[in-house]
Amino acid sequence: MIWHIIKRELFDHINSLRFILTFLILSALMVTNAVVHLQTHQDRVRDYSEDVTNTSNELKSRTQLYSLAEKGPGRLYKRPSSLSFIADGGEAYLPRRTYNEGSWSKSGIGGRVKSNWWLSYGSVNPDAKDFRPQATKIDWVFIITYLLSFIPLLFTFDALSGEREQGTLRLCLANPISRPTLLIGKFLGTLITVLIPFIFAVLLNLAVISTDSWTQLSGADWGRLGLILLIATSYAGIFIGLGLMVSAGTREPRVSLVILLLIWVATVVFMPSTLGILSTKWMTPVQTDDQFDASKDAALRQISTDFDDRMQTIKEKKSPNLLSMSELEKLFETSPEEAMAAARKMQEAWETEGDEEMALKAEYINKDVEIRERFNRQHLDAQIAQVQRARDITRFSPAAIVQYALESMAGTGFNRHLQFLEHVHRYIKQFREFIVETDRADIQSRHLIGIPKGMSEKPIASEAIPEFEDKVTFSDTFNTATLDLLLLVLLLGVFLSGAFIVFLRAEV
Amino acid sequence: MLRNLIRQEILGHLMSARFLAAVVITLLLVVANAVVLLEDYEQRLARYNHQENVHRQKIQEAKTYSFLKLFVERPPNPLSVFSSGLDKRLGSTFEIYHGSVPMISSGSARGLENPFLNLFTKIDLVLIFQVVLSLMALLFAYDAISGDWESGTLRLVISHPVRRGSILFAKYIGAMLCLLLPVLMSLILVLILLSLNSTIYLSGENFLRIGGIVLTTSTYLSVFYLIGLVVSTITRRTATSLMICMFLWVALVLVYPNWSRFSINPVGDTSAERSSTNQQVEQIWEEVDREERQFIANSPLEGESPRFNLSYSDWSSSWGDRRRQINAKVQKESEPLVPHLQKYNETMETLYIRLAEQTALIRKKNLDNTSLRKATWDERLMKLSPAGLYTFATSAWAGTDLEGMSDFVRAVQDYRRTTINYLHDKKAFGSRQWFASDQGTVDWWDLPQFRFAPANAWENATRALPELLLLLLTNLALFTVIFLFFTKIEV
């Protein structure tokens, strides 16, 4: 019996005007998406591979262990996803590489000290110089979140209320058909009707994209695509459930349509951004750049003066009765010759470098790197936490859930950026361990990482230097998407059972 | 009779569930977003005031003329609450330096608290009207004719001695009044929220501009209502007309504006243009090096500029590209060389000013041909949809469009010229205080202040006029089409 109902629904829908319009609009958008992807993806992949080769060549050209510590691993790039046509994920607003803030050197007591490389994350704000009007990218996320919710509503708003108005519902239920059967029949019939044009458009899209040699889809990618279709299906199912629920609860199809459309506008169009921005207003604000710089500088000044003091004591211990700078200046005014001699003595004391001084220098440099990285990391973590919380709140809207799930699947967007950062951190750790290990292998070295004289001077084999790899595994994407997938299934269940309850209680 | 018809239409709408739902949803969205937007504006205002103070302090810190670090901050526009346009996006801090002319693209946007928050799309009040009320307009219209036709009331009404034109007119007036009601109600709510807020002050001109925005909103909504009426008259079946209306709405409001920006790149690749501009600018700056060498050859100054062969007892400097900021104390034995150094500075800095204006012409041409051309073409394409026309018309009213931003940049450029004149009047470039503070630091008390008055409401109106006229024309065309169809329609 249920097959009969599904079949009837299906034929009814397929013959309707809305089905043809759905077909047209979905196909047009999917083709546009594919064509634009073909035009832009090539450049993205080429740029990435060029950048990565540059970094790796530069890294391999370094033969001294100290230069590795001083200059660091170079820029680390985020690998562009070959599925970026599915979800753009606001890539323009996320840095595509790590940055290098620069270096410093300081001279004074104890001679010259030069900084080592530290990791900084950078930030991008492309809007500041962009006068072009803002628009959302037409990716699968756009097509799915907007259209696969809007179209199900257009197919279901009159599914029950319309039949009730015409009286066919009463006729139908006079036959030995249970209400749940009727509802499930309607649900599945509509779902299949919506999925037919969608799947067709998807195939069209993939056909165009497969002509491109720059986008090669691996087996895991096809697995992801399958999951994406599943997500799209359950998302459409949620809105079919919602449509049936409202349609069962109202007498007139006109009223159910208005209610549905307004719910749709609120949840799909406005909630994902409004809730996100709204929620940040009640969170504790993140430090501004000025505040951040000020607190970092204070910490750095602290260790700098600390270093000066300790160096001074070491020098004083080694060669006592050295004059201080102010005393020296005073001496210059009374007897220049004597002062010159004192100054020469002072310079000599400064320049002769013992183990103690070197150890202090190395300690200072490493502490400097540590503080800078810690502050950068804390600032970044605070920003990330704020965005995470805002995203959690936007998950009230199923459109946002689908967006995040698709981003995880496609390997773009915010979660992907976090994965990239995690890879970077892991790599930096590995890189530094490599320096320490190589240094330890050399018995002639003083094992003071961070200063030229303290490290192994043996040339290093370029193949031995670890290289950065930004590879996303299938389990990674699945882990980040699990919550969203669960939420989607939950919502589907809620709306379907809601439709059941309302329909069971409804008078025919 | 006409009044009766209108009254009946209005009552019919007002009593309907859709009207109630429309009002509730619009007001909810408006209030939720207005709270956020107002708070956001307040924050930006606070940051603006903070930055202004920082800039003022920076002036006082400058002990010599060359050390002057002059910045100008763009104040946030209170009407960005209605139409955010470019106001929140573009960089708002401009540096005033005689050796470089500020352009619209040279504003910097430092101090953003969390750049990741850009991931959430920005919303303004106009967007709510644009999306929600256009949908409502179509929902009011889709069964206006076809519904009456199906239920037979149309025949009943026409059997009375009323002209068909007046039936149409009554329907139009009734629906438009009902559509404007949520607009006005949300406007009142926003104004109440505004008045609760003590930091935001709206001038009389701003009320005129808000009036302009309301006017544009009503013409925009009227376009959608008329589209609905056309579809309703042609199809004669409510179900068909509804589907056509809904898909038209999706296409015009949601899809097309994004689609045109996403898929069409009317200007093409401009990187060649950019690199040729950079080359031209480089060439111009080579002239500086030539003249510098020539000057040094004819002068007793020797050695590396800017220290030369003078000896200093104190020296602090800061370098930018071709920019030297020096604060030094010259020792007695170098005193005879000081006039030459002054002459050198005067020649070089006036040369910088001249060449900066030359490069500015080239850079402006490049900007016009690349970024600005892209922006205007994107605008034109987007304006093929009424939703695009509406967006740009309202941002023109609010002054947050490209023109409004250019106004500010022009004021900044004027200010640069004023400060150059000031420095000339003080003979600063050739003075000792340009590089040395040993004979007293510079007193900045009479440095001209930056003032910016946004374009007046009349100017905003003329800027919004083309889009407004296009919207009105669309209205007129649609109305004629309906009238033709409706007079011929068989009842």
Side-chain angles (χ1 to χ4, degrees):
Chain A
M1 194 62 208
I2 194 162
W3 292 119
H4 193 70
I5 299 175
I6 294 176
K7 220 162 71 185
R8 198 201 61 174
E9 284 290 318
L10 209 59
F11 284 132
D12 263 8
H13 285 320
I14 286 177
N15 278 322
S16 65
L17 174 72
R18 44 193 161 181
F19 185 75
I20 299 165
L21 291 174
T22 306
F23 221 96
L24 288 178
I25 199 161
L26 284 179
S27 309
L29 287 182
M30 277 293 188
V31 169
T32 317
N33 168 269
V35 170
V36 173
H37 177 75
L38 291 194
Q39 288 166 353
T40 52
H41 189 62
Q42 193 181 337
D43 291 342
R44 214 166 12 210
V45 174
R46 205 168 32 207
D47 287 351
Y48 171 73
S49 56
E50 271 172 19
D51 292 335
V52 167
T53 346
N54 285 343
T55 305
S56 129
N57 286 344
E58 215 178 295
L59 199 58
K60 286 195 174 134
S61 70
R62 300 206 180 113
T63 49
Q64 286 295 310
L65 201 56
Y66 172 68
S67 73
L68 275 190
E70 189 213 346
K71 301 252 169 60
R75 293 168 174 177
L76 308 177
Y77 289 88
K78 180 157 62 175
R79 179 195 291 276
S81 163
S82 53
L83 294 180
S84 61
F85 57 95
I86 289 175
D88 174 68
E91 289 286 271
Y93 298 106
L94 300 168
R96 56 182 278 271
R97 62 176 170 90
T98 59
Y99 284 74
N100 190 1
E101 269 172 4
S103 59
W104 54 265
S105 67
K106 164 181 148 120
S107 42
I109 322 163
R112 200 148 160 273
V113 190
K114 201 164 179 324
S115 67
N116 273 0
W117 174 87
W118 67 90
L119 174 67
S120 60
Y121 305 99
S123 69
V124 284
N125 184 14
D127 284 353
K129 295 195 189 303
D130 186 12
F131 328 113
R132 300 177 72 179
Q134 242 174 348
T136 320
K137 295 246 162 61
I138 309 249
D139 46 9
W140 284 28
V141 169
F142 179 89
I143 299 171
I144 291 173
T145 52
Y146 281 94
L147 293 174
L148 276 198
S149 54
F150 189 73
I151 291 164
L153 296 186
L154 290 186
F155 276 105
T156 48
F157 78 97
D158 57 352
L160 297 167
S161 52
E163 291 213 31
R164 182 157 43 204
E165 228 184 16
Q166 289 167 7
T168 42
L169 191 61
R170 187 172 286 188
L171 210 71
C172 205
L173 287 176
N175 289 314
I177 305 171
S178 70
R179 288 193 187 196
T181 321
L182 184 73
L183 198 70
I184 287 185
K186 286 215 175 261
F187 177 78
L188 288 179
T190 320
L191 191 60
I192 295 170
T193 332
V194 174
L195 283 183
I196 291 172
F198 178 66
I199 303 263
F200 175 78
V202 163
L203 290 178
L204 213 61
N205 176 288
L206 292 178
V208 177
I209 280 176
S210 64
T211 60
D212 180 24
S213 54
W214 291 87
T215 314
Q216 254 136 22
L217 300 183
S218 62
D221 285 341
W222 288 103
R224 287 192 187 117
L225 277 173
L227 270 176
I228 286 166
L229 288 187
L230 216 68
I231 293 170
T233 311
S234 46
Y235 181 66
I238 290 173
F239 280 89
I240 293 173
L242 175 74
L244 288 175
M245 190 166 95
V246 174
S247 177
T250 47
R251 302 239 136 249
E252 274 181 86
R254 281 207 301 199
V255 178
S256 60
L257 177 73
V258 173
I259 293 175
L260 284 174
L261 285 183
L262 292 173
I263 293 177
W264 177 82
V265 162
T267 52
V268 175
V269 183
F270 288 105
M271 251 160 72
S273 41
T274 310
L275 276 185
I277 302 281
L278 199 68
S279 61
T280 55
K281 298 289 164 201
W282 282 285
M283 288 177 197
T284 43
V286 176
Q287 278 185 324
T288 61
D289 284 349
D290 294 337
Q291 290 167 333
F292 168 69
D293 285 345
S295 57
K296 186 169 78 176
D297 288 345
L300 290 174
R301 226 170 357 227
Q302 174 65 40
I303 59 159
S304 166
T305 49
D306 210 38
F307 167 76
D308 287 348
D309 292 346
R310 285 172 63 187
M311 192 55 103
Q312 182 87 38
T313 30
I314 292 175
K315 295 286 181 197
E316 269 171 14
K317 209 164 62 188
K318 274 192 166 175
S319 41
N321 51 47
L322 271 180
L323 296 169
S324 76
M325 267 315 238
S326 54
E327 283 168 334
L328 196 64
E329 257 176 52
K330 249 184 236 154
L331 194 62
F332 254 112
E333 276 161 24
T334 50
S335 56
E337 273 96 66
E338 221 172 293
M340 285 300 269
R344 222 169 286 131
K345 202 173 140 203
M346 201 163 152
Q347 183 144 17
E348 209 170 297
W350 280 11
E351 274 170 5
T352 48
E353 213 167 42
D355 282 344
E356 219 176 337
E357 284 100 321
M358 275 197 261
L360 183 62
K361 270 190 188 176
E363 189 195 323
Y364 171 50
I365 287 170
N366 288 323
K367 215 185 252 170
D368 172 80
V369 170
E370 198 257 333
I371 285 184
R372 284 172 195 275
E373 288 196 344
R374 195 180 61 218
F375 269 89
N376 286 350
R377 183 74 183 268
Q378 275 171 357
H379 194 45
L380 181 79
D381 282 347
Q383 290 176 342
I384 287 174
Q386 194 183 35
V387 178
Q388 292 281 41
R389 257 171 292 159
R391 278 163 69 99
D392 283 344
I393 289 172
T394 53
R395 284 201 169 92
F396 274 111
S397 156
I401 300 178
V402 166
Q403 186 196 333
Y404 301 152
L406 288 188
E407 281 175 6
S408 314
M409 286 297 144
T412 55
F414 191 65
N415 277 332
R416 169 72 181 90
H417 190 66
L418 297 187
Q419 277 167 3
F420 165 70
L421 291 175
E422 203 187 303
H423 295 167
V424 166
H425 291 144
R426 210 183 298 151
Y427 169 68
I428 299 291
K429 214 172 143 212
Q430 191 191 352
F431 182 79
R432 292 209 165 118
E433 269 165 15
F434 166 77
I435 293 178
V436 174
E437 297 286 316
T438 329
D439 186 61
R440 197 175 292 154
D442 184 8
I443 13 171
Q444 285 167 343
S445 156
R446 284 197 179 85
H447 304 310
L448 291 171
I449 308 294
I451 53 171
K453 282 185 201 157
M455 293 172 75
S456 163
E457 282 172 5
K458 274 189 190 163
I460 36 174
S462 57
E463 313 84 51
I465 308 174
E467 278 199 64
F468 178 60
E469 205 174 5
D470 182 29
K471 217 167 182 105
V472 189
T473 58
F474 190 64
S475 62
D476 279 344
T477 56
F478 201 75
N479 287 342
T480 53
T482 332
L483 170 70
D484 295 320
L485 289 174
L486 280 177
L487 276 174
L488 273 181
V489 173
L490 188 76
L491 276 178
L492 183 63
V494 166
F495 281 107
L496 264 185
S497 37
F500 265 114
I501 293 167
V502 175
F503 186 50
L504 285 184
R505 293 166 61 98
E507 265 180 61
V508 193
Chain B
M1 190 63 204
L2 184 65
R3 194 179 299 164
N4 264 338
L5 281 173
I6 293 178
R7 208 183 65 195
Q8 188 230 346
E9 281 294 324
I10 292 179
L11 281 179
H13 285 308
L14 285 183
M15 307 301 275
S16 67
R18 47 184 165 183
F19 177 74
L20 187 72
V23 171
V24 169
I25 283 283
T26 320
L27 292 188
L28 265 179
L29 283 173
V30 165
V31 169
N33 283 298
V35 170
V36 177
L37 288 164
L38 287 176
E39 189 156 335
D40 186 53
Y41 172 75
E42 248 180 284
Q43 272 176 10
R44 288 169 61 218
L45 198 65
R47 203 168 75 207
Y48 165 74
N49 288 328
H50 171 75
Q51 292 283 75
E52 284 270 86
N53 274 330
V54 172
H55 299 336
R56 224 168 287 141
Q57 271 172 19
K58 282 221 173 94
I59 298 177
Q60 296 307 326
E61 277 167 18
K63 298 220 162 53
T64 58
Y65 280 115
S66 64
F67 246 106
L68 176 64
K69 284 192 187 110
L70 195 53
F71 289 93
V72 161
E73 191 77 12
R74 177 159 53 81
N77 185 339
L79 291 183
S80 63
V81 170
F82 289 90
S83 165
S84 59
L86 296 167
D87 196 52
K88 279 184 209 173
R89 292 170 47 196
L90 289 189
S92 58
T93 313
F94 289 84
E95 185 170 15
I96 308 288
Y97 164 50
H98 58 271
S100 163
V101 179
M103 295 278 170
I104 192 167
S105 57
S106 47
S108 66
R110 201 186 134 74
L112 200 68
E113 278 164 27
N114 189 349
F116 290 127
L117 288 182
N118 275 332
L119 286 171
F120 298 103
T121 36
K122 292 176 193 72
I123 283 185
D124 47 23
L125 295 182
V126 157
L127 185 74
I128 300 176
F129 298 150
Q130 181 186 327
V131 174
V132 181
L133 291 178
S134 60
L135 187 63
M136 283 328 292
L138 286 178
L139 288 180
F140 277 179
Y142 81 94
D143 59 352
I145 308 288
S146 54
D148 279 4
W149 191 77
E150 262 177 341
S151 63
T153 40
L154 192 62
R155 185 172 288 187
L156 212 71
V157 174
I158 286 181
S159 65
H160 286 283
V162 248
R163 273 184 295 161
R164 289 188 176 196
S166 19
I167 297 176
L168 265 186
F169 191 65
K171 281 194 181 294
Y172 177 76
I173 293 290
M176 282 312 295
L177 285 179
C178 288
L179 279 173
L180 281 181
L181 218 57
V183 176
L184 294 177
M185 280 160 87
S186 42
L187 198 68
I188 289 170
L189 274 180
V190 173
L191 291 180
I192 290 174
L193 282 175
L194 265 174
S195 62
L196 289 178
N197 204 315
S198 53
T199 48
I200 304 174
Y201 167 74
L202 285 186
S203 64
E205 291 234 329
N206 276 338
F207 281 103
L208 276 180
R209 294 191 185 104
I210 293 176
I213 290 176
V214 173
L215 180 74
T216 320
T217 308
S218 54
T219 43
Y220 168 73
L221 293 181
S222 143
V223 167
F224 274 89
Y225 184 74
L226 289 174
I227 289 176
L229 269 189
V230 171
V231 176
S232 175
T233 334
I234 294 175
T235 55
R236 297 220 207 151
R237 277 200 54 219
T238 6
T240 328
S241 119
L242 175 66
M243 285 308 140
I244 293 179
C245 283
M246 287 301 101
F247 279 92
L248 263 178
W249 178 79
V250 166
L252 288 178
V253 177
L254 281 188
V255 172
Y256 180 75
N258 294 320
W259 183 87
S260 74
R261 167 78 166 76
F262 175 69
S263 59
I264 305 174
N265 189 0
V267 180
D269 192 17
T270 50
S271 51
E273 176 111 25
R274 230 160 265 206
S275 59
S276 92
T277 308
N278 286 343
Q279 263 174 14
Q280 278 174 305
V281 171
E282 278 298 302
Q283 273 170 12
I284 289 186
W285 282 111
E286 273 168 24
E287 197 188 321
V288 174
D289 297 337
R290 256 201 318 279
E291 293 218 10
E292 188 176 14
R293 275 196 298 275
Q294 212 175 359
F295 183 91
I296 295 175
N298 297 332
S299 119
L301 294 172
E302 276 166 25
E304 282 287 306
S305 81
R307 283 188 81 121
F308 294 113
N309 48 352
L310 279 76
S311 32
Y312 305 89
S313 61
D314 196 6
W315 171 272
S316 61
S317 64
S318 157
W319 302 73
D321 45 344
R322 293 181 184 280
R323 180 171 184 182
R324 299 173 189 130
Q325 300 180 309
I326 299 159
N327 181 8
K329 282 194 182 118
V330 184
Q331 283 194 339
K332 277 189 204 98
E333 64 258 33
S334 299
E335 214 47 64
L337 282 175
V338 167
H340 296 283
L341 189 58
Q342 285 175 339
K343 184 86 188 105
Y344 166 81
N345 281 331
E346 190 176 16
T347 328
M348 291 314 291
E349 300 301 333
T350 39
L351 188 64
Y352 280 171
I353 296 172
R354 206 182 71 224
L355 294 190
E357 322 247 289
Q358 269 182 37
T359 49
L361 288 178
I362 299 169
R363 278 165 59 214
K364 183 166 185 316
K365 205 178 114 216
N366 170 48
L367 206 61
D368 286 343
N369 284 338
T370 56
S371 316
L372 286 176
R373 187 144 150 252
K374 268 189 185 148
T376 38
W377 266 104
D378 280 328
E379 268 190 47
R380 275 178 212 163
L381 284 171
M382 274 191 183
K383 280 179 196 160
L384 288 179
S385 150
L389 281 175
Y390 178 58
T391 314
F392 292 114
T394 45
S395 67
W397 276 109
T400 54
D401 58 341
L402 202 50
E403 297 261 12
M405 298 297 124
S406 312
D407 279 351
F408 180 78
V409 176
R410 266 192 293 277
V412 173
Q413 288 168 349
D414 286 343
Y415 180 57
R416 172 179 165 271
R417 237 158 276 140
T418 323
T419 53
I420 289 175
N421 288 340
Y422 167 80
L423 291 175
H424 272 309
D425 287 347
K426 293 253 163 184
K427 302 208 168 35
F429 298 116
S431 73
R432 189 192 180 97
Q433 275 174 324
W434 182 260
F435 58 91
S437 57
D438 45 6
Q439 291 180 3
T441 53
V442 181
D443 190 3
W444 295 107
W445 69 275
D446 56 349
L447 181 76
Q449 291 271 321
F450 175 68
R451 296 219 188 289
F452 169 63
N456 57 18
W458 179 246
E459 181 66 33
N460 286 122
T462 46
R463 283 173 189 172
L465 198 62
E467 285 92 23
L468 199 58
L469 274 180
L470 276 173
L471 279 175
L472 282 172
L473 261 170
T474 326
N475 269 314
L476 216 65
L478 287 168
F479 210 88
T480 334
V481 173
I482 297 169
F483 199 74
L484 288 178
F485 271 104
F486 191 64
T487 43
K488 279 198 200 151
I489 197 176
E490 262 180 62
V491 196

